[in-house]
Amino acid sequence: MERGRGALGPALELVHTGRAPTRAVLTAELGVTRATAGAVAAELEALGLIEVDARPAAAAGSQGRPSHRLSLAPDGPVVLAAQIHADGFRAALVGLGGRMVATAPGCMTVPADPAHIIDAVVEAGAGLLRETGRRCLGAGLAVPSAVAEPEGTALNPLHLSWPAGAPVRELFTEALAKADVPGPGGAPALGVTGNDVNLAALAEHRHGAGRGARHLLCVATGHRGVGGALVLDGRLHSGSSGLALEVGHLTVNPAGLPCHCGSRGCLDVEADPLAFLTAAGRDPGPEVSLLQQSRDLLRTEYADPAVRAAAELVVDRLGLGLAGLVNILNPDRIILGGLHRELLEADPERLRAVVADRSLWGRSGSVPILSCTLDHNSLIGAAEAAWQPVLDDPLAALG
Amino acid sequence: MERGRGALGPALELVHTGRAPTRAVLTAELGVTRATAGAVAAELEALGLIEVDARPAAAAGSQGRPSHRLSLAPDGPVVLAAQIHADGFRAALVGLGGRMVATAPGCMTVPADPAHIIDAVVEAGAGLLRETGRRCLGAGLAVPSAVAEPEGTALNPLHLSWPAGAPVRELFTEALAKADVPGPGGAPALGVTGNDVNLAALAEHRHGAGRGARHLLCVATGHRGVGGALVLDGRLHSGSSGLALEVGHLTVNPAGLPCHCGSRGCLDVEADPLAFLTAAGRDPGPEVSLLQQSRDLLRTEYADPAVRAAAELVVDRLGLGLAGLVNILNPDRIILGGLHRELLEADPERLRAVVADRSLWGRSGSVPILSCTLDHNSLIGAAEAAWQPVLDDPLAALG
DNA sequence: GTATTTTGTTTAGCGTCGGCACAAAGTCAG
DNA sequence: CTGACTTTGTGCCGACGCTAAACAAAATAC
């Protein structure tokens, strides 16, 4: 009866990622007729997900009737996004298009017991839902640890002092049920849970520096160790059990520091904030986060030869690791986050030269290396993961 | 009018890979009704691709009406498969299901000029087509070099003494046109060309030891250097420009031999046949291939402590490389070919122990490591790549 | 003001698939 | 051997989701 049901999900994803600003573009991107695209847009509007603005959009120079503008409904449904990191947690409501609708002030409690902290972050998010009265369609959580699939357990929550193997997805889902947070179809939310760098990569791919990339590699370091993520054709690649892109144990300095993995000179211990501070001869203090200390040092004392030499050392190590990943994954774009982003911006040419020099064929060495561009990309990524069921089947999710 | 057009390709792939022995299984695998599955099977039979045998198939113990058997048509169309390696070339006709229908005797001419050798192998295949009178639907070529996409040039045909960057796909397509080899739809064949290890992985995934794996990693060494390949959800992952899984320059021995890439102790120079022969104190002779010499040594003199020690050394290096790949790719199965297969079979436990020890989480370390099981897997893989258009859209390809 | 271009909408029609009823072919129980 | 049961194959109908085509609308070009 109704037209345009099969294309509903793809159409929403196009508007969601900003690739379908008008009905005309939507028609072309979906590869359907104008009639179908019109019906799809009408259906999405009826569902309260998008808005159609009949006012023309300053058609610059183009002939013909101007196309109507498609935009995401500003008062549409949201998902609950949560992030736990070394220094605390943060909760937010995120709409389609990666728009942060409401944020709870980042809490700086040190996360001791997983159940306790997850309850707290969900309660903060549920409070935002009550305050704003927005409809909620799901919930996502980012944690600084590999998350095993399909169990949803945190395997190495190193800087959270959590037990290895903590059942984070289960705890998250239970907390959501306790706080009455609804998910797709009005049923209790499922509690999508993932590694923070993985989710950040997803967010950057959809709304940030990774837009349009086919094979996107992200590498970042925040506190201790180095994280990686890969987005292939728009889908996160997390391996057969969620453990892909654990890039921290690539050898980047054969004569380097011993690593707990049994080898020496792993990326984890050669290219994280602690490695940088140590190389610069600074004693890391306990007050501020290692990332913040490294960032301050890099920004304020880059003129100091010792600091500059330390930065170049870490850049060289990182470049070796990236080159190894390029040889294995052959991405068409690389995005760096955390300290790696700062190092890239301090001396972009050096990093690019090392990667190009050590990648096998000049061409794959010339892969663009960019800084991440989204604020709170792990949080937005958690929201993206929570949105996925809606993007896959809007009708079922809105039931 | 006709039912079951959308499912035609998936259905053919199921029969092709042996996952749909009967109409009943086909119905379940496709997730359609019996009526649709029946129409699909009838259509594929009318196209001459499969056969439906109404005779029951010894229904062991099961109740109800026995299902009709589905099988691939023995006299159906074929594709031309070609392989070029260090010692010569080989051509064959391959039907659906990876069945070798006809083979030209492997020619042992040393491949000097790419155009010349590609013309010769295509001519050998065209001869088989003339002899057998079979209908041809495409052609595939496997070469021992990375093949850049989308150009189709051989970037490192190291042991062929070809110029780097030889336009192999173009040469192959031209040779096919010269020999009047038809492709999908009767038009001149397109000349699908790929790296031999990549194509071998594809073949093993569909018809060999990789059947049923979601994320399949293949590693092999034949002559010099080490090749890798990854099959993700049934599709070859060759990266954004065909250069993925160039695994030869993973560092596996920090104090090892210098490598032309500028580093030391790369997998390429630490775990190939030459490395093994050298470690065993043997002087590689020029008569037989390095792989053959290694294989003979391993099989006949494994009792010799020096040989055994050399094997263990190479196994340890290989294990380190595999562990690194496991940490990055998190495959659910690994298949080894060439000398690596021999080493695995000589001492399966040692390799598995090294990989498990150096993989991050015990669980991903327990990934099964198997030998490849197909003869001529690169050749079959070239055929698989050539079959792909037919599997994607049988109607268009047979048009 | 008229022609042209491009977009949105309406209507008719058609292809593909699910649902259902029925027939066919085997097993199982007596 | 017979009848009940189970499972598979097929024909018919209708619904769903799309294309095609004609028409209407809104801008630019001349």
Side-chain angles (χ1 to χ4, degrees), chain A residues 204-227:
Chain A
E204 291 286 343
H205 181 267
R206 298 217 177 139
H207 309 295
R211 276 167 69 166
R214 270 198 65 203
H215 299 331
L216 176 69
L217 170 66
C218 287
V219 171
T221 183
H223 190 68
R224 295 292 307 278
V226 174

Side-chain angles (χ1 to χ4, degrees), chain B residues 16-326:
Chain B
H16 173 59
T17 55
R19 283 177 294 164
T22 66
R23 272 227 209 48
V25 177
L26 182 65
T27 302
E29 291 287 322
L30 287 177
V32 297
T33 58
R34 288 202 299 274
T36 303
V40 168
E43 179 87 27
L44 289 175
E45 192 177 22
L47 290 171
L49 296 173
I50 73 169
E51 286 187 345
V52 180
D53 186 357
R55 295 284 197 59
S62 74
Q63 283 189 52
R65 174 176 173 176
S67 191
H68 295 177
R69 278 211 92 64
L70 301 180
S71 57
L72 295 162
D75 297 321
V78 297
V79 294
L80 190 160
Q83 180 181 11
I84 297 174
H85 49 84
D87 309 310
F89 63 79
R90 177 182 288 270
L93 304 185
V94 180
L96 283 170
R99 289 183 194 158
M100 197 107 72
V101 166
T103 323
C107 174
M108 285 300 153
T109 310
V110 174
D113 174 53
H116 182 261
I117 202 93
I118 288 176
D119 278 350
V121 72
V122 166
E123 190 41 54
L128 292 173
L129 282 173
R130 282 191 298 270
E131 285 169 30
T132 59
R134 303 285 282 251
R135 179 171 184 192
C136 178
L137 290 180
L141 170 67
V143 295
S145 159
V147 176
E149 298 293 338
E151 304 90 343
T153 52
L155 286 177
N156 59 343
L158 295 179
H159 26 282
L160 297 183
S161 67
W162 285 4
V168 281
R169 179 174 304 147
E170 199 181 313
L171 293 172
F172 187 40
T173 301
E174 283 169 9
L176 291 166
K178 224 183 301 179
D180 277 325
V181 176
L190 275 156
V192 183
T193 307
N195 168 264
D196 52 1
V197 179
N198 274 22
L199 293 172
L202 191 60
E204 291 287 343
H205 181 267
R206 298 218 177 137
H207 309 295
R211 277 167 68 164
R214 269 198 65 204
H215 300 330
L216 176 68
L217 170 65
C218 286
V219 172
T221 184
H223 189 69
R224 296 292 307 278
V226 174
L230 182 68
V231 178
L232 292 179
D233 291 316
R235 311 292 290 202
L236 201 53
H237 173 74
S238 49
S240 64
S241 48
L243 306 179
L245 273 297
E246 285 292 323
V247 300
H249 298 280
L250 281 168
T251 302
V252 295
N253 177 19
L257 303 165
C259 171
H260 63 88
C261 78
S263 184
R264 295 188 151 270
C266 291
L267 196 59
D268 253 2
V269 295
E270 295 280 340
D272 71 350
L274 182 62
F276 171 57
L277 291 170
T278 309
R282 306 300 165 113
D283 227 9
E287 321 79 37
V288 206
S289 77
L290 293 175
L291 174 59
Q292 195 57 52
Q293 291 176 57
S294 312
R295 193 180 273 149
D296 290 345
L297 189 62
L298 205 53
R299 288 185 181 171
T300 61
E301 298 183 51
Y302 193 60
D304 177 345
V307 172
R308 176 155 194 156
E312 292 182 345
L313 193 71
V314 175
V315 161
D316 289 352
R317 309 286 192 239
L318 174 64
L320 240 59
L322 290 181
L325 289 170
V326 164

Side-chain angles (χ1 to χ4, degrees), chain A residues 83-92 103-111 116-117 120-122 124-125:
Chain A
Q83 180 181 12
I84 296 174
H85 50 84
D87 309 311
F89 63 79
R90 176 183 289 270
T103 324
C107 174
M108 284 300 153
T109 309
V110 174
H116 182 261
I117 202 93
V121 72
V122 166

